[in-house]
Amino acid sequence: MRYLPKSQSDRETMLREIGAKSIDDLFAAIPAEYRVKGDLDIPRSYAEGEIVDFFRQRATESAQGYATFLGAGAYSHYRPLVIDSLISRGEFFTAYTPYQPEIAQGTLQSIFEFQSMICELTGMDVANASMYDGSTGAAEALMMAARVTGRSKSAVAATVHPEYREVITTYARYQGMPVSTFGCAKNGRVDLDTLALAIDDDTAGVLIQSPNFFGTIEDVAAIAEIAHDKGALLIVSIAEAISLGIVKPPAEADIVSMEAQSFGVPLGFGGPYCGVMATRERFVRQMPGRLVGEARDRNGKRGFVLTLATREQHIRREKATSNICTNQGLMALMCGIFMTVYGREGLKELATQNLAKAHYAAEQFKKSGATLLFEGAPRFNEFVIETKTDPYAINDKLLGQRIIGGFPLKKFYPELSNASLWCCTETTAKASIDAAAKEVAL
Amino acid sequence: MNLNEKIRKATTHISQNEGLIFEKSSPGKKGYKLPPLDVPEVDPAELLGEQAREDLGQMPEVSEIEIIRHYTRISTWNYAVDHGMYPLGSCTMKYNARVNEYVARLTGLAEAHPYQPERVTQGALRILQMLSEQLIEITGMDAITLQPAAGAHGELTGILMVRAYLESRGNPRKKILIPDSAHGTNPATAAMAGYAVENLKSNAAGMVDMASLEAQVNDDVAALMLTNPNTLGVFEQEIHKIADVLHAKGALMYMDGANMNALVGKVRPGDFGADVMHLNLHKTFSTPHGGGGPGSGPVACKKILEPFLPTPVVITKKDGTLGFDYNRPQSVGRVRMFYGNFGMHVRALAYIMANGPEGLRLTTEDAVLNANYIRKKLEGIYDLPYSTPTMHEVVFSDRLQTPKGVKTGDIAKRLIDYGFHPYTVSFPLVVHGALMIEPTESESKEELDLFIDAMKSIAEEAEQHPEIIAEAPHNTRISRLDETMAARKPVLRWKPPAAAAGK
Ligand SMILES: Cc1ncc(COP(=O)(O)O)c(C=O)c1O
């Protein structure tokens, strides 16, 4: 086996030194009746070239090279090549969690920079080193709000990503955390009246997403006022991180729970992605996940360490803020590099291109006869249209042109039966938009 | 005296200094170029109104070469598996094969959107199905979900499934039994799933104490969360009796599969009585740890628990194509959006394919051989609190060194000077001053001998020059950091010097 650095004679020497007659002696603790007899029933060992061929074949069966109008929580953005070049350094990707800071400063400093950039973009004071993804991050943010406020209920907007809401349902069920839902107005924004009704004196956290699942940018300040009036925390979930380049940060929020996949993480059929949580300094001791902080060594030299670990499972066990241990470290590094590449001007320029493409597409679709839903509030790079025909039928036609159409919303919102959610990014070509505009006319 | 005299594996070398990226930034530098816009330009202020953002504050502005140098320089400050032995117990720091990285980046797989139509996604679905089938065979279980993002997330999924199963039979019960040697995620998970945690004592051999178990299992116990081999590297020899005791009282056995690297191809948890377990693909199945993540924590279970698996699951449809089944009324629900950390699934499957059945078995054998070799060579030099047979990792204590004031954490720091990453320090909690060493199969005899020499040499230093160890590491860029101050006055983000000095 090519990954194993031992010759048969090494093995024999080592066994002899241990005083074992055969390797089976070392497995004597396993009761004989349970030992596997013979081989596991899995395929034979493959050569490297065969493995490459196998996966190349699977890749060609996965819509390789298609244009896509899908967003809905996973976004197709160009990934600068320096990202993979840098994260492919073994020093980064074959290292463990930086528990020994003297030989992990590379990881620690990169996370410190990541935390700093997330704070800058979200308007929060502190950000953690990552969560699994946006969905679990949102669930954990609600649990954090319960710890901070000592209250038990949650209120969640119906315009939060439906799969995030499913995860929240799973997590909340056994936390003793009742979850109520509030809907949106005709313009796609949270309906402030229903919101007020969904919050009471026992509501710990109010969760919204902005831009929301329909692409609409929420009036965070107005929502924050209502939540804060009742003593609840406002949690803003951000699924499309690029929006932060051009959309006002949710500075009125108490917790921002982000999915940072758009910052250079490949679509990868849904994962691994990069959740991250940011909050106010006064809430930091209730925040889940790892945190990197600045420290000094004996000679006064600056370095970085994992800190405030008394929140975490390895110290606090059942009293920890979360059970999270392994996080999405390498994805946070990808995001950090992406944010550095684009930086202060580039993120703005990039976000503006997204805005322009989506705006053009929405206009073209409207001209073709599709109805634009949720007009009257600002959007970023996604929009909802209603068509005369079933969106699945439209998508079938587009698929023949190697274009993946928008996301049919009836999967999650049966009442929106002929509506679909379309996303345009800087990678969406005008030609694809024009081709799609023809089909949505039908 | 020469501090570095006995150090064979490493020497010091020039290491570049590098500030924070923000400190290299200046207005107008660029590391990007966007293509020309092929649609009409828009005015964000007009489209977004008061939601438009003016400025991105302190975000860096740097050029491409500076970015490459920045991250390359700081990367050289890390120790990694690619440098050498990384004997962190419980973490299984094995070689991360390059073919895994290559295939995970193939365009069709790396760019597949989770909502693209199933009919044009058969390749990705096939990968999920194949990995599922092979992990089921390896664990001896009946069904699996690949959705959980890491081990702890798998634990939560598995315990929620236990809960849903018990609930379907009328009573979810109240508590989870957890041995005192367990990893911190186990009790934290039980709490998140709404259970009380009850501690279970180990016996003198480091195994579950059968008498305590029998006394503690009652109608309130939902499950035992058991790591096998446990965190002492000891196989629970009475594993089937443990399962019988639980099952007789209607409780289930959850197995934390973090230590499957000791078992793959030799014994299957499904055969010895586990009802539900998680795997850590980032340990046993070689997906890289990435400086903290991502991981992947599939949960495998017996038939009785299958209806409770998270949605969706991959199925073969009537027409023979693959697809997702969302219609699972008894499911615990979703634990993560989409289908899990697919990129890790690709890598794990590539690892299994490279090994085949013989390779997997030999891998396990080498992992256990390496741990036993270290044990044999260091026994007596370091205190071995449990003499029970060792599987893939061995746990010593610092009892012989503490009279000189040298503790496990100090020995760990001195190992850094010797060119090694330390072992896991102070875990498991049942061993006072633990040194938890897991070499994995990826170490050659030469590398192991270097490690053993280093550990012996440090033990000698502990006798003769304990002050060297107390102040280690000596050869790193920075010395020990003041973690107490870092926690007392946390600085968790960079601020421009003026702002940091207090506005
Ligand atoms: C025994 C044991 N259980 C559970 C875990 C948690 O796994 P993860 O870090 O993938 O969440 C770990 C590793 O960290 C472990 O060693």
Side-chain angles (χ1 to χ4, degrees):
Chain A
M1 209 291 133
R2 65 184 181 278
Y3 303 157
L4 300 176
K6 264 190 216 67
S7 67
Q8 210 39 46
S9 95
D10 288 339
R11 292 187 177 101
E12 281 156 20
T13 310
M14 289 169 70
L15 281 172
R16 215 176 307 121
E17 302 214 10
I18 292 167
K21 279 200 242 20
S22 78
I23 188 72
D24 282 337
D25 286 4
L26 303 183
F27 289 86
I30 301 174
E33 64 264 45
Y34 304 123
R35 288 189 218 152
V36 172
K37 293 160 193 83
D39 283 347
L40 288 171
D41 184 17
I42 58 168
R44 68 168 171 88
S45 158
Y46 287 85
E48 185 177 285
E50 291 180 296
I51 295 171
V52 169
D53 284 345
F54 170 83
F55 284 101
R56 279 205 178 122
Q57 191 55 42
R58 302 289 82 74
T60 62
E61 299 160 0
S62 300
Q64 185 168 302
Y66 283 42
T68 187
F69 284 96
L70 287 171
Y75 300 92
S76 173
H77 292 288
Y78 180 72
R79 303 180 56 243
L81 297 176
V82 297
I83 296 176
D84 269 357
S85 167
L86 288 169
I87 70 144
S88 296
R89 291 186 65 88
E91 294 94 329
F92 283 132
F93 87 92
T94 76
Y96 190 68
T97 306
Y99 284 128
Q100 295 289 346
E102 296 88 347
I103 44 170
Q105 284 300 305
T107 298
L108 287 161
Q109 181 168 325
S110 74
I111 298 173
F112 184 80
E113 293 173 348
F114 168 82
Q115 291 175 181
S116 303
M117 288 190 255
I118 294 290
C119 289
E120 198 65 49
L121 287 177
T122 57
M124 293 289 111
D125 304 324
V126 289
N128 69 11
S130 71
M131 301 296 288
Y132 298 140
D133 73 335
S135 70
T136 57
E140 296 230 21
L142 288 168
M143 288 156 55
M144 173 177 159
R147 288 192 298 273
V148 168
T149 59
R151 297 176 174 192
S152 70
K153 294 184 191 166
S154 292
V156 177
T159 45
V160 169
H161 194 300
E163 293 198 11
Y164 288 24
R165 286 186 286 127
E166 288 176 29
V167 172
I168 290 165
T169 304
T170 306
Y171 273 60
R173 203 189 293 172
Y174 304 110
Q175 304 284 319
M177 181 194 279
V179 181
S180 61
T181 310
F182 50 91
C184 67
K186 246 183 131 42
N187 65 0
R189 281 182 160 176
V190 164
D191 180 344
L192 299 181
D193 296 333
T194 20
L195 167 67
L197 294 176
I199 314 178
D200 66 24
D201 290 345
D202 196 27
T203 305
V206 173
L207 174 71
I208 61 162
Q209 179 181 318
S210 184
N212 69 26
F213 191 66
F214 300 144
T216 307
I217 298 164
E218 296 286 1
D219 185 351
V220 176
I223 296 167
E225 212 179 300
I226 296 173
H228 292 160
D229 262 0
K230 299 234 172 133
L233 300 193
L234 176 65
I235 301 155
V236 177
S237 165
I238 301 173
E240 171 46 297
I242 298 294
S243 65
L244 286 168
I246 198 73
V247 177
K248 223 162 75 179
E252 301 83 359
D254 302 288
I255 305 172
V256 173
S257 169
M258 258 174 79
E259 171 49 70
Q261 175 266 327
S262 285
F263 288 160
V265 178
L267 280 172
F269 202 43
Y273 286 176
C274 186
V276 49
M277 198 186 284
T279 190
R280 295 280 162 226
E281 202 163 331
R282 62 182 182 278
F283 301 139
V284 68
R285 283 170 204 272
Q286 293 301 339
M287 181 150 81
R290 297 184 184 129
L291 282 168
V292 172
E294 197 176 300
R296 299 277 155 182
D297 80 353
R298 278 210 202 95
N299 309 312
K301 207 163 160 183
R302 177 174 71 186
F304 301 93
V305 290
L306 290 174
T307 193
L308 301 180
T310 50
R311 301 163 298 114
E312 293 183 69
Q313 47 74 29
H314 61 281
I315 312 275
R316 285 293 286 282
R317 300 177 77 87
E318 65 268 28
K319 296 198 177 65
T321 51
S322 166
N323 68 344
I324 192 169
C325 178
T326 291
N327 59 13
Q328 300 286 120
L330 200 69
M331 294 10 243
L333 176 61
M334 283 189 185
C335 294
I337 299 171
F338 182 97
M339 288 187 277
T340 304
V341 167
Y342 283 101
R344 184 177 178 184
E345 293 305 320
L347 282 174
K348 204 192 299 179
E349 216 181 295
L350 178 64
T352 308
Q353 282 210 353
N354 278 251
L355 194 67
K357 298 265 190 175
H359 181 71
Y360 173 76
E363 292 300 311
Q364 294 311 107
F365 286 20
K366 255 200 307 199
K367 275 188 205 151
S368 305
T371 310
L372 192 60
L373 297 188
F374 309 122
E375 282 207 276
R379 293 183 302 269
F380 178 54
N381 66 1
E382 287 176 285
F383 58 90
V384 176
I385 57 164
E386 188 168 50
T387 46
K388 291 180 204 87
T389 28
D390 183 340
Y392 283 105
I394 292 169
N395 285 354
D396 279 350
K397 291 214 172 127
L398 281 170
L399 211 53
Q401 302 172 53
R402 297 170 70 82
I403 294 173
I404 298 171
F407 180 77
L409 284 168
K410 65 180 152 198
K411 179 174 177 193
F412 295 124
Y413 301 89
E415 69 279 14
L416 295 174
S417 58
N418 272 0
S420 48
L421 174 69
W422 295 69
C423 176
C424 296
T425 71
E426 76 284 1
T427 65
T428 315
K430 176 173 178 291
S432 305
I433 298 174
D434 294 341
K438 281 203 195 103
E439 299 300 338
V440 299
L442 304 174
Chain B
M1 81 153 282
N2 181 357
L3 285 178
N4 295 340
E5 197 173 31
K6 299 252 183 75
I7 299 176
R8 288 206 285 143
K9 179 165 176 266
T11 186
T12 52
H13 75 118
I14 294 288
S15 154
Q16 304 285 322
N17 290 327
E18 179 72 3
L20 289 164
I21 195 72
F22 307 100
E23 294 160 354
K24 323 199 87 175
S25 171
S26 64
K29 287 201 283 191
K30 278 190 175 145
Y32 71 96
K33 169 157 179 57
L34 288 166
L37 198 56
D38 60 359
V39 299
E41 301 221 358
V42 292
D43 175 8
E46 187 192 320
L47 290 182
L48 301 178
E50 60 176 20
Q51 295 300 324
R53 180 175 200 157
E54 300 285 307
D55 186 39
L56 300 191
Q58 305 297 331
M59 291 300 282
E61 292 177 82
V62 286
S63 63
E64 186 167 321
I65 174 71
E66 290 170 291
I67 296 168
I68 289 288
R69 288 215 178 122
H70 175 71
Y71 286 100
T72 302
R73 286 174 179 168
I74 68 173
S75 80
T76 65
W77 306 343
N78 273 1
Y79 186 91
V81 173
D82 285 2
H83 291 148
M85 184 168 168
Y86 208 126
L88 266 182
S90 212
C91 301
T92 315
M93 297 300 288
K94 60 169 68 184
Y95 170 58
N96 305 127
R98 286 341 194 236
V99 66
N100 303 358
E101 297 305 308
Y102 178 80
V103 296
R105 287 176 171 81
L106 290 170
T107 310
L109 304 177
E111 293 181 4
H113 190 285
Y115 288 147
Q116 68 191 32
E118 286 171 2
R119 128 175 77 105
V120 292
T121 314
Q122 293 295 303
L125 287 162
R126 182 92 191 101
I127 289 167
L128 292 177
Q129 191 184 54
M130 282 182 71
L131 179 64
S132 297
E133 286 167 0
Q134 294 180 19
L135 294 178
I136 284 171
E137 167 66 12
I138 288 167
T139 55
M141 306 297 267
D142 299 320
I144 197 164
T145 175
L146 303 179
Q147 207 176 91
H153 201 212
E155 292 170 26
L156 178 63
T157 307
I159 294 298
L160 289 179
M161 287 164 60
V162 167
R163 183 163 193 130
Y165 164 78
L166 292 172
E167 227 164 48
S168 76
R169 298 167 55 102
N171 177 6
R173 303 189 171 199
K174 296 199 177 80
K175 53 191 182 190
I176 304 278
L177 294 183
I178 298 181
D180 46 13
S181 57
H183 192 261
T185 51
N186 292 184
T189 293
M192 278 178 84
Y195 282 114
V197 172
E198 190 170 299
N199 216 16
L200 185 64
K201 266 224 185 71
S202 313
N203 65 18
M207 293 187 258
V208 165
D209 184 67
M210 290 307 290
S212 308
L213 180 74
E214 281 177 53
Q216 284 176 255
V217 178
N218 57 32
D219 293 348
D220 280 343
V221 172
L224 166 70
M225 283 182 97
L226 188 67
T227 310
N228 192 26
N230 64 28
T231 58
L232 294 164
V234 168
F235 190 88
E236 295 283 352
Q237 292 178 19
E238 299 193 283
I239 187 71
H240 210 279
K241 274 196 211 141
I242 295 172
D244 289 345
V245 169
L246 291 162
H247 293 156
K249 290 275 165 68
L252 299 184
M253 182 153 86
Y254 182 93
M255 188 176 119
D256 179 330
N259 293 339
M260 272 299 283
N261 214 41
L263 306 184
V264 173
K266 303 295 281 187
V267 59
R268 308 191 310 165
D271 295 339
F272 61 59
D275 297 299
V276 51
M277 68 179 293
H278 77 262
L279 294 163
N280 298 63
L281 299 186
H282 46 301
K283 297 181 179 177
T284 318
F285 296 92
S286 89
T287 76
H289 278 82
S296 176
V299 172
C301 66
K302 289 282 174 62
K303 267 242 138 33
I304 50 161
L305 291 171
E306 185 174 7
F308 308 98
L309 284 169
T311 46
V313 297
V314 180
I315 52 161
T316 305
K317 297 193 289 194
K318 281 199 198 77
D319 63 2
T321 63
L322 303 178
F324 288 110
D325 178 16
Y326 291 88
N327 183 18
R328 302 179 60 82
Q330 287 189 287
S331 165
V332 294
R334 251 182 199 290
V335 295
R336 189 199 179 281
M337 63 177 171
F338 309 131
Y339 325 112
N341 283 344
F342 176 73
M344 302 298 117
H345 305 151
V346 173
R347 289 170 173 86
L349 182 59
Y351 169 81
I352 296 172
M353 288 175 75
N355 276 286
E358 285 163 42
L360 288 181
R361 185 174 53 233
L362 198 54
T363 293
T364 303
E365 290 174 354
D366 277 1
V368 172
L369 178 65
N370 284 357
N372 277 280
Y373 183 72
I374 291 171
R375 170 176 161 156
K376 180 75 183 181
K377 298 276 179 173
L378 293 181
E379 201 175 341
I381 297 166
Y382 291 92
D383 172 57
L384 187 71
Y386 294 94
S387 58
T388 324
T390 286
M391 299 291 290
H392 69 303
E393 65 194 357
V394 54
V395 179
F396 293 102
S397 92
D398 60 11
R399 200 172 58 88
L400 303 178
Q401 285 73 36
T402 43
K404 297 280 182 181
V406 171
K407 299 205 173 110
T408 175
D410 303 315
I411 299 166
K413 294 297 186 202
R414 185 61 178 147
L415 254 184
I416 293 173
D417 283 334
Y418 278 80
F420 288 94
H421 193 281
Y423 47 79
T424 293
V425 178
S426 305
F427 178 76
L429 305 176
V430 282
V431 172
H432 188 78
L435 291 68
M436 185 195 216
I437 302 171
E438 180 183 6
T440 83
E441 72 280 7
S442 302
E443 302 314 325
S444 65
K445 182 170 175 299
E446 295 74 27
E447 186 86 358
L448 293 171
D449 287 335
L450 281 172
F451 176 76
I452 289 158
D453 278 0
M455 289 296 289
K456 285 183 176 167
S457 178
I458 295 170
E460 277 168 31
E461 287 175 348
E463 290 298 319
Q464 287 151 19
H465 303 285
E467 69 287 352
I468 296 182
I469 304 179
E471 293 190 359
H474 301 275
N475 295 340
T476 45
R477 295 182 51 79
I478 50 165
S479 57
R480 288 193 205 186
L481 290 153
D482 187 345
E483 304 197 11
T484 314
M485 262 314 275
R488 195 170 299 154
K489 288 195 173 161
V491 176
L492 303 172
R493 62 169 295 191
W494 177 82
K495 281 189 185 144
K503 288 157 233 179

